[in-house]
Structure formats: C-alpha cells, structure tokens
Amino acid sequence: QVQLVESGGGLVQPGGSLKLSCAASGSILSINYMGWYRQAPGKERELVAVITRGGNTNYADSVKGRFTISKDDGKKTVYLQMSSLKPEDTAVYYCKRLSALGTITWGQGTQVTVSA
C-alpha cells in the first residue's frame, strides 16, 4: 500500500527556516489531497496546511505568511517551507494523504524544534 516518508526536520533558532518533504510511494498515480499536521507536547494534532490536486491551498492562521505548502506530482512529493520560525512551532510534523477512495495514510512524523 501507500507509504509516506517525511524528512527535513531538525533544530533551528527562532527566525530560522526549514523545508520539510513528504515522499509518497506505492499505489499512487497523483496527489489528490495532502496536508501537513503537527502535534506539540500535551496537545492534539492540528492542521498546518493542505494542498489539493488542483493546487488549492489552505493554512492555519498561526502559520499564514510564514509557511508555504507545495507539491511535485512527478516526484509524488509534498513540501512545507517554513520561515520565521517561532518556539511555538516546535512539534512533530506529520504528512497526511487522502486517496480518491477515502483512505487516510499518515507518515511517521519528523521533529521540528525551534529554540535558542
């Protein structure tokens, strides 16, 4: 089946930047709906950004103007460019895929830590 592999997380200082990648493999012909979510310690998983097959995007208010979601259909990869990072952005970031059949797949998560 489809698997999602995330990469690009790490430790950065406030104001820094990171670019996360989510590569899909398996039975996938195109990116229908994919998104980035995050979960901070003691909190529920929350939406960060989503992108549809047609390229429509949506962002959480807390990241608008700082984060950009994009995709490369040929590489079956979704990206999250994060700039002007804040300590409150610290979380495990997860990639999510929704197939045309309604199946949901989650990646393993990648840690992003913003600290001085």
Side-chain angles (χ1 to χ4, degrees):
Q1 251 285 11
V2 174
Q3 288 188 314
L4 305 177
V5 179
E6 297 133 318
S7 62
L11 173 64
V12 296
Q13 297 186 31
S17 299
L18 280 176
K19 188 173 185 178
L20 306 182
S21 298
C22 174
S25 63
S27 301
I28 179 173
L29 298 177
S30 63
I31 297 174
N32 187 45
Y33 174 98
M34 294 189 73
W36 286 97
Y37 295 73
R38 67 186 182 187
Q39 187 166 17
K43 298 183 178 180
E44 294 186 343
R45 192 170 300 183
E46 64 177 356
L47 171 70
V48 176
V50 297
I51 188 166
T52 68
R53 178 180 58 199
N56 292 327
T57 59
N58 192 33
Y59 300 89
D61 289 339
S62 59
V63 307
K64 286 182 179 177
R66 300 188 299 120
F67 291 12
T68 301
I69 187 171
S70 61
K71 65 176 182 176
D72 186 327
D73 289 311
K75 295 181 178 180
K76 300 180 180 180
T77 300
V78 174
Y79 306 94
L80 184 67
Q81 176 65 57
M82 306 184 294
S83 301
S84 301
L85 285 163
K86 305 174 181 179
E88 47 264 48
D89 294 319
T90 296
V92 177
Y93 284 70
Y94 298 90
C95 182
K96 174 188 176 181
R97 173 182 181 258
L98 177 65
S99 75
L101 298 177
T103 301
I104 296 174
T105 303
W106 291 94
Q108 83 286 355
T110 184
Q111 177 71 48
V112 173
T113 302
V114 185
S115 176

